[in-house]
Amino acid sequence: MHADPSSPASASAAAPTAAAVDHYRICPLCEACCGLAVRTEGLPATVTRISGWAGDVLSDGYLCPKGYALKDLHDDPDRLRTPLMRKQGRNSPLEPCSWEQAFAEIDRRLPPILAEHGRDALALVAGNPSAHKMGLLLYFARLARTVGSKNLFSASTLDQMPKQLQAGLMYGHWVSIPLPDITRTQFLLVLGANPLASNGSMWTVPDFRGKAKALRARGGTLVVVDPRRTETAAVADAHHAIRPGTDVFLLGAMVHTLFAERLVKPGHALPWLSGVDALRDAVAGFTPEAVAQRCGISAAAIRQLTRDLAAAPSAAVYGRIGTCTQTYGTLACWLIDVLNALTGNLDVPGGMLWTKAAAFASNTAGKPGSGRGVATGRHRSRVGRSPEVFGELPIVQLAQEIETPGAGQVRAAIFMAANPVLSAPNGARLAAALDRLDFSVSLDIYCNETASHADVVLPGLSPLEEGHYDVPFPQLSWRNSARYSPPVLPAPAEQPPEWQTLLRLIAIVQGRGTAVDVQTLDDEWLADDLRRSAGDNAAAVQAALGAWRGPERLVDLALRSGPYGDGFGQRPDGLSLARVAATPGGIDLGALQPRLPEVLRTPSGMVELAPALLLADLPRALADLAAHPAAAADADAAGALLIIGRRDVRSNNSWMHNLPTLAKGPQRCTLLVHPLDAQRLGLADGALARIARGAAQLQAPVQISDTVMPGVVSLPHGWGHDLAGSRLALAGQRPGVNLNSLLDDGLTDPLSGNAVLSGLAVQVQPA
Ligand SMILES: Nc1nc2c(c(=O)[nH]1)N[C@H]1C(S)=C(S)[C@@H](COP(=O)(O)OP(=O)(O)OC[C@H]3O[C@@H](n4cnc5c(=O)[nH]c(N)nc54)[C@H](O)[C@@H]3O)O[C@H]1N2
Ligand SMILES: Nc1nc2c(c(=O)[nH]1)N[C@H]1C(S)=C(S)[C@@H](COP(=O)(O)OP(=O)(O)OC[C@H]3O[C@@H](n4cnc5c(=O)[nH]c(N)nc54)[C@H](O)[C@@H]3O)O[C@H]1N2
Ligand code: SF4
Ligand SMILES: [Mo]
C-alpha cells in the first residue's frame, strides 16, 4: 500500500498510455473540494469524460457543472500558456514573451523600486483561487515574508474576514471555526448562505442538497434567513426574508430572547465559557420589538425561531457571506456562535464541532488548550488608518494607497489569482490607480480585467497539470480526511508550476537576480523552516522527506508531523503523503469529534463569549437602531431599493465566464425585482433597467421574481467583461455588468476591514 516516496510517480502525471484511464483529481474550483474521475484517452492524452469519483471519502461521487468545465478550462484557447509583457514600454500592448524575458523585465524594474522606496512600496494581492492551490498558498506566504510589506491585501476582506476575526477572538485562532454537524443535527439555521448555488463556504460540504434532504428525512428542520427565497430556502422548512444588513439586530434579539425566556442552557461547554453575564447585559437593548421593523421580521417570529432553536434536540446555526459583507459583519458572526454556545450546541455531536485536520491546522499545533490568541492593529493602513487583521489591510483601500503620495505609498504590486477590478467595489477607481503604478505583475491563467493593467503577466498551469492537496479546507470540512491527487496530464516543458514562479520572484526581491536554481532555493527555505520547527532533528527530517519537492514536500512534512502523522517513523502506520497518495479517493479520518478544551488557543484557555473588541462595537449597532428603527439610513432616500448579489452554480466570482459549457443557457447577469416594485417603478420583465447609486450607474435586464423581498433587488457580481485589454473572447460576447461599480469602496466593517457588499441603496428606473 505504501508508494515508494522516492518514486516520482505520485508527483507527476501517470506514464502516457493510449488506453482510457480514470485519474483521481480533487476539484480546485470551489470549497466543496469534490473528488473527480478525469478520463483521458489517446496519445497525446485528451480528456474525454469528467465524473464524480465514487467512493471519495469526502464527496462520495458528487460534482456540479463546474467540475465538468475543467476540461473546457484546460482546452480554452484564451488560457495563457506563455508570459505576456509590454515590449515597447508602458503604453505598448501586452505581448507573448519567453519566461526568461519576463523574469528579466521584473528583475530590471522591481528591485530599484524597493531599493528607493522601501518594502511597503510593493503591495501583494492574493485572490480567491490562491486558497485552492497549494503552490500558490504555501509559496505566496514565503514571498510575503520575503517582501515584508505592510501592504498585504486579499479577497478575505471581500469575504470572510469577520468570521475569522470572530473565531480568532472567541477560540484563539483565525481558522478555528466550528461547523454544523450536518449528518447528525436535528435543526439547521442558515443565515446569509446559499450552499445550493455556492456549494458551501467556510464549510466544505459537498452535496449539501443531499445532506439537507437526509436531515429533513430524519425529522430535522432546515430554516433559512435571507432577503431572497434562494435555492436553499426553496428546499427548507421555513424561510425568513430579512432586510439586508440587519442580521446583527435579529441575532441580538435572539440572544436577548434566550436570556429573557430563561432558555440559556450551555450544557457540555459550560465549564469553558467565559463572559455569559457580560453578554446578558450587552444584548439588553435588543428586544424583538426594537428590531422587528428594521429586520422586516416580526417580534413573534423572532421569539418563535429562538424557542425552536432552543428546544431542538440538537441544533447548529451557520452564517456565511451574507452575514459578513455588512458593516456589522464581525458582530453578526459573533452572535451566531453565541447562539450556538448558549443553546448547548457548541462542541457536541449534532451541534457545532471543530475539525481535526491532518495537516496545517494551528489548532493541532503547539500547547493544547491555550495560546497567544489573536490581536489586530499591529499596524494600520497608511491613508485609511484601518487596523491590520490577520496581517492584512482592507482591499477596498488599495486604490487610495496607490493614489496618495507620501512615504510608504504603494508604487508596485503583485497580483496573484486576483481580479479586484471586477471583484472589489469601485473597480474603475482601482483600474485607474493601477495604471499609475511604476510596475505591476499579475500571476493569472487569463489576461483578466486586472492583469490587463500589468506590465508582466505570468501564467499558472492548467489545474489538470498540477498535483493537489487542499491546505485550508480540511480545516473546515464536514468530516476529517486526507486526500491528494497527482497531476492528470504532464505540464508543457517550458511552463513552470507557480510555486517555482513565486520562488523566482522571491530571488528577484532578495536581489539574487534571475539566474538562481529554484530547487536550491526551495531546499534553502525548507532547511530554514526545519531549523525553526525541528531543531536538532532538522537534517534527519529533511532526509526523511525523500524525493518530494516543492509544495508536495511541504504537505508531506505537515502530514507526517500532524496529529495522524507517522512522526517520521515513530508511528509507522501513521500518515505520510506517500500513504495518502496511494489511496485515490482519500483516507477517511472519521466524523468530527468534541475537542474542548484542547482545541482552544485563547490566552485564558476559555471560549471568550464576550470579547472586549466586540462588546465595544455593540453600541454602534444600538445607536444605529435607535436612530433608524425602521430602515437603514442609506435606504431613507425616497424610492430607494437595497441591492444584494447572488451566486449561480455555473459561475465563479469574476471568472469561468469564458468556458462554453458554463456560458451557454440563459443570461445570468439579470436584476431580480419583486413584482410590487416592478409595478411601482414601471419595470417590465426582460426590459433594461437603469440602476444608479450616486454618480455610478449601469443597465441590466430586469427579471421580475417574487423570490426577492419587496424593497430589495439582486444582481450577481463578477460580471462586466467588456473592459478594454482583457482577453476573454467568449465572456466578452455576453459581458454582463459589474455590480461592484455601484458599490462604495469607503464602506467597511471597521473591526475586520471587510467590504460592505450587500444592502446598499440604489435607484432603479426603466432605461
Ligand atoms: N459585490 C460582490 N463582490 C464580491 C463578492 C460578492 O459576493 N459580491 N464576493 C467576493 C468574494 S467572496 C470573493 S472570494 C472575491 C473573489 O474575487 P477575486 O479574489 O478577485 O477572485 P476571482 O474573481 O475568483 O478571480 C480569480 C482570478 O484567478 C485566476 N485563476 C484561476 N485559477 C488560477 C490559478 O491556478 N493560478 C492563477 N495564478 N490564477 C488563477 C482567474 O483567471 C481569475 O482571473 O470576490 C468578491 N467580490
Ligand atoms: N457557483 C458559485 N459558487 C461559488 C462562488 C461563485 O461565485 N459561484 N463563489 C465562491 C466563494 S468565493 C464564496 S465566498 C462562497 C460564498 O458562499 P455563500 O455564502 O453560500 O454565498 P452566496 O450564494 O452568495 O449566498 C449568500 C446569501 O446571502 C444573502 N444575503 C445578502 N445580504 C444578506 C444579509 O444582509 N443578510 C442575510 N442573512 N443574507 C444576506 C444572499 O441573498 C445570498 O443568498 O461561494 C463560493 N462558491
Ligand atoms: S461543487 Fe463543483 S466546482 Fe465545487 S468542487 Fe465540486 S465539482 Fe468542483
Ligand atoms: Mo469568497
Side-chain angles (χ1 to χ4, degrees):
M1 163 125 160
H2 286 228
D4 174 3
S6 62
S7 141
S10 34
S12 62
T17 156
V21 183
D22 281 340
H23 307 258
Y24 176 61
R25 180 58 167 95
I26 300 166
C27 179
L29 298 177
C30 92
E31 296 174 53
C33 305
C34 302
L36 307 180
V38 180
R39 180 168 299 171
T40 61
E41 286 177 68
L43 276 178
T46 55
V47 175
T48 54
R49 181 172 188 262
I50 297 182
S51 53
W53 184 276
D56 183 282
V57 294
L58 204 66
S59 59
D60 197 25
Y62 178 79
L63 86 167
C64 83
K66 285 199 295 294
Y68 298 108
L70 282 172
K71 174 176 164 50
D72 280 8
L73 178 58
H74 185 77
D75 295 336
D76 189 346
D78 285 342
R79 185 170 61 78
L80 299 177
R81 274 104 172 149
T82 64
L84 306 175
M85 67 179 274
R86 301 185 194 279
K87 292 182 179 165
Q88 316 293 331
R90 46 178 324 160
N91 294 320
S92 69
L94 283 165
E95 293 176 70
C97 65
S98 72
W99 283 91
E100 288 320 309
Q101 282 176 305
F103 285 122
E105 178 72 355
I106 299 169
D107 190 43
R108 187 175 73 81
R109 293 182 60 188
L110 189 55
I113 298 171
L114 291 169
E116 188 181 345
H117 301 289
R119 51 190 60 204
D120 293 336
L122 175 59
L124 300 178
V125 184
N128 171 274
S130 317
H132 295 268
K133 298 293 173 92
M134 58 180 184
L136 287 180
L137 198 60
L138 297 170
Y139 286 78
F140 183 74
R142 306 191 149 188
L143 176 65
R145 231 162 79 202
T146 307
V147 174
S149 171
K150 293 192 181 82
N151 285 305
L152 195 60
F153 305 88
S154 88
S156 290
T157 52
L158 299 168
D159 186 347
Q160 82 289 349
M161 201 55 111
K163 182 86 209 131
Q164 295 200 253
L165 175 56
Q166 162 255 320
L169 293 170
M170 290 178 75
Y171 314 119
H173 192 269
W174 305 99
V175 199
S176 269
I177 292 172
L179 309 168
D181 187 16
I182 188 162
T183 56
R184 291 180 286 195
T185 194
Q186 287 299 101
F187 190 98
L188 178 59
L189 173 57
V190 171
L191 301 103
N194 185 15
L196 254 68
S198 69
N199 279 298
S201 182
M202 301 307 275
W203 188 18
T204 290
V205 56
D207 192 19
F208 179 88
R209 181 196 293 271
K211 291 180 178 66
K213 208 170 153 188
L215 158 71
R216 297 189 63 208
R218 64 176 180 266
T221 305
L222 173 64
V223 180
V224 172
V225 175
D226 196 299
R228 183 167 75 89
R229 195 171 68 247
T230 59
E231 294 80 353
T232 306
V235 302
D237 297 272
H239 167 230
H240 297 277
I242 185 170
R243 309 246 325 142
T246 64
D247 297 75
V248 65
F249 305 121
L250 169 70
L251 293 159
M254 290 179 73
V255 176
H256 176 97
T257 302
L258 286 179
F259 283 112
E261 303 196 359
R262 299 178 187 286
L263 298 172
V264 172
K265 296 199 175 65
H268 157 80
L270 183 63
W272 302 289
L273 297 187
S274 163
V276 177
D277 293 331
L279 260 180
R280 180 187 290 114
D281 298 340
V283 298
F286 290 92
T287 64
E289 281 72 17
V291 307
Q293 237 197 322
R294 181 78 186 261
C295 298
I297 303 177
S298 73
I302 295 172
R303 288 206 171 85
Q304 193 56 49
L305 180 59
T306 312
R307 290 171 196 150
D308 292 347
L309 173 69
S314 60
V317 188
Y318 164 73
R320 206 30 292 272
I321 194 166
T323 61
C324 288
T325 50
Q326 39 177 290
T327 184
Y328 304 113
T330 308
L331 292 180
C333 291
W334 166 51
L335 293 172
I336 285 170
D337 270 10
V338 164
L339 283 175
N340 284 314
L342 295 185
T343 53
N345 288 302
L346 184 63
D347 199 46
V348 293
M352 301 291 281
L353 291 167
W354 284 276
T355 60
K356 188 181 233 177
F360 300 110
S362 293
N363 67 26
T364 63
K367 183 168 148 269
S370 65
R372 276 191 311 185
V374 306
T376 66
R378 290 165 301 177
H379 54 261
R380 287 181 173 264
S381 55
R382 179 180 63 104
V383 183
R385 305 307 300 157
S386 290
E388 147 283 331
V389 180
F390 203 4
E392 295 184 26
L393 297 172
I395 195 167
V396 291
Q397 296 182 358
L398 175 57
Q400 71 189 20
E401 291 294 337
I402 298 171
E403 292 161 356
T404 313
Q409 180 181 7
V410 170
R411 294 163 186 274
I414 298 176
F415 293 88
M416 189 180 77
N419 194 13
V421 167
L422 288 193
S423 55
N426 203 352
R429 176 180 178 187
L430 181 60
L434 296 184
D435 288 337
R436 293 168 52 173
L437 287 171
D438 292 343
F439 186 64
S440 74
V441 179
S442 266
L443 274 67
D444 208 284
I445 56 175
Y446 288 101
C447 185
N448 67 14
E449 291 76 7
T450 302
S452 60
H453 296 270
D455 297 287
V456 178
V457 183
L458 302 172
L461 297 172
S462 154
L464 298 181
E465 296 161 351
E466 296 186 291
H468 187 92
Y469 185 95
D470 280 305
V471 172
F473 303 113
Q475 302 178 50
L476 298 164
S477 292
W478 73 281
R479 199 172 169 88
N480 292 313
S481 70
R483 304 176 309 152
Y484 171 79
S485 61
V488 171
L489 296 168
E494 291 300 302
Q495 208 182 323
E498 287 187 292
W499 64 271
Q500 294 189 5
T501 298
L502 285 162
L503 280 175
R504 297 199 61 177
L505 292 177
I506 286 171
I508 290 172
V509 167
Q510 288 176 330
R512 295 158 76 173
T514 61
V516 291
D517 174 44
V518 284
Q519 300 295 355
T520 309
L521 203 53
D522 195 37
D523 287 345
E524 280 176 23
W525 273 99
L526 181 75
D528 186 50
D529 282 356
L530 290 175
R531 258 194 305 279
R532 277 179 286 121
S533 64
D536 292 346
N537 293 328
V541 171
Q542 181 144 3
L545 292 168
W548 296 113
R549 288 293 177 273
E552 268 86 356
R553 182 161 62 178
L554 299 178
V555 171
D556 192 38
L557 173 61
L559 279 169
R560 298 178 75 179
S561 49
Y564 311 87
D566 73 1
F568 298 95
Q570 286 170 26
R571 292 177 299 273
D573 55 353
L575 296 185
S576 62
L577 181 55
R579 172 123 190 262
V580 174
T583 315
I587 295 176
D588 182 33
L589 300 170
L592 308 191
Q593 302 288 338
R595 286 192 60 190
L596 280 177
E598 57 84 15
V599 71
L600 298 174
R601 294 295 184 274
T602 48
S604 62
M606 301 288 278
V607 171
E608 296 294 351
L609 279 187
L613 190 70
L614 303 183
L615 289 182
D617 196 37
L618 263 187
R620 183 171 66 98
L622 280 166
D624 177 355
L625 182 63
H628 306 280
D634 203 43
D636 280 348
L641 295 164
L642 302 182
I643 196 160
I644 62 171
R646 73 179 183 274
R647 285 177 160 76
D648 182 285
V649 77
R650 289 178 179 272
S651 173
N652 200 8
N653 295 319
S654 76
W655 71 296
M656 302 194 77
H657 299 148
N658 211 52
L659 306 179
T661 56
L662 299 179
K664 67 184 183 208
Q667 158 78 280
R668 295 191 174 84
C669 189
T670 58
L671 184 75
L672 296 186
V673 183
H674 189 274
L676 291 174
D677 292 318
Q679 196 181 29
R680 180 170 58 86
L681 298 166
L683 296 166
D685 195 62
L688 281 181
R690 194 175 77 92
I691 314 159
R693 180 174 165 86
Q697 55 168 289
L698 44 81
Q699 297 192 354
V702 170
Q703 192 179 340
I704 296 179
S705 165
D706 67 359
T707 59
V708 275
M709 67 194 290
V712 173
V713 289
S714 164
L715 187 72
H717 77 282
W719 296 88
H721 300 293
D722 52 359
L723 298 177
S726 66
R727 298 178 192 182
L728 300 156
L730 185 64
Q733 287 171 22
R734 281 207 300 186
V737 292
N738 181 4
L739 165 63
N740 282 320
S741 66
L742 292 175
L743 306 186
D744 305 18
D745 55 9
L747 294 176
T748 56
D749 164 24
L751 298 186
S752 65
N754 208 86
V756 177
L757 301 174
S758 198
L760 298 184
V762 293
Q763 301 285 339
V764 181
Q765 60 183 76

